[in-house]
């Protein structure tokens, strides 16, 4: 539609600048909307809120326009960086002694990763998440087994102290 308006400018001299007067506001509105989308994507990535981000990124990913491709690459790199930070947080938490705070932090980070996996390219992220879940399982499996052993033996003191 904008291309038609731009082409209309050529013959606009004959129809008293009607198309030109409409084209300016449309171009400003379009730039404003693009800026709002940019700001929204930046905020979603910064907050690690990946719900619905796919809908905003798909037009840029499939576009032939070089500028849109560059924006897509920029956002993809920011998302990768953000998710790398999330994996690093989980790794740091796994190195610390187990506590309620650590468990809540790991669950929160895994929720972010699962949300990102469901919205973004699942293959690459799925392998990393599976590997991370395996590490988490190894870390907590000994505690769960110890708890079950004390529970079976009705050793409530052991359940509280050793777990």
């Amino acid at each position: 539609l904008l291309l038609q308006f731009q082409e209309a400018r050529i013959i606009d001299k004959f129809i008293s600048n009607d198309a030109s007067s409409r084209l300016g506001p449309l171009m400003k509105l379009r730039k404003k909307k693009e800026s709002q989308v940019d700001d929204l994507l930046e905020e979603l990535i910064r907050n690690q809120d990946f719900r619905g981000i796919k809908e905003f990124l798909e037009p840029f990913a499939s576009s032939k326009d070089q500028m849109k491709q560059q924006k897509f690459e920029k956002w993809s790199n920011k998302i990768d960086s953000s998710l790398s930070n999330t994996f690093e947080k989980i790794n740091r938490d796994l190195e610390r002694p187990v506590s309620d705070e650590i468990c809540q932090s790991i669950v929160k980070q895994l929720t972010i990763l699962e949300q990102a996996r469901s919205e973004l390219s699942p293959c690459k992220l799925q392998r990393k998440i599976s590997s991370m879940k395996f590490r988490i399982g190894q870390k907590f499996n000994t505690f769960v087994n110890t708890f079950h052993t004390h529970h079976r033996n009705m050793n409530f003191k052991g359940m509280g102290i050793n777990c």
Side-chain angles (χ1 to χ4, degrees), residues 62-89:
S62 60
S63 176
K64 304 256 189 258
D65 182 13
Q66 186 177 5
M67 294 295 289
K68 288 184 179 182
Q69 282 290 320
Q70 288 174 348
K71 282 185 176 184
F72 176 74
E73 286 298 318
K74 178 184 84 169
W75 288 320
S76 294
N77 290 337
K78 285 187 177 192
I79 290 170
D80 286 345
S81 175
S82 176
L83 294 177
S84 291
N85 290 338
T86 302
F87 280 109
E88 288 173 15
K89 286 178 189 174

Side-chain angles (χ1 to χ4, degrees), residues 101-160:
E101 175 190 330
I102 296 297
C103 292
Q104 288 177 4
S105 174
I106 290 173
V107 167
K108 179 182 173 188
Q109 302 309 321
L110 276 176
T111 303
I112 290 169
L113 292 174
E114 285 294 338
Q115 186 185 75
R117 184 197 53 77
S118 71
E119 288 290 327
L120 306 168
S121 62
C123 298
K124 183 170 65 171
L125 207 50
Q126 183 61 45
R127 285 191 297 270
K128 284 179 147 182
I129 292 172
S130 295
S131 172
M132 184 59 67
K133 284 182 176 180
F134 181 75
R135 280 195 63 215
I136 292 168
Q138 285 180 318
K139 171 90 173 180
F140 291 99
N141 199 24
T142 55
F143 290 104
V144 171
N145 289 339
T146 303
F147 181 83
H148 284 305
T149 301
H150 288 298
H151 183 260
R152 256 186 269 119
N153 297 333
M154 300 297 244
N155 180 0
F156 299 112
K157 182 178 178 183
M159 286 170 53

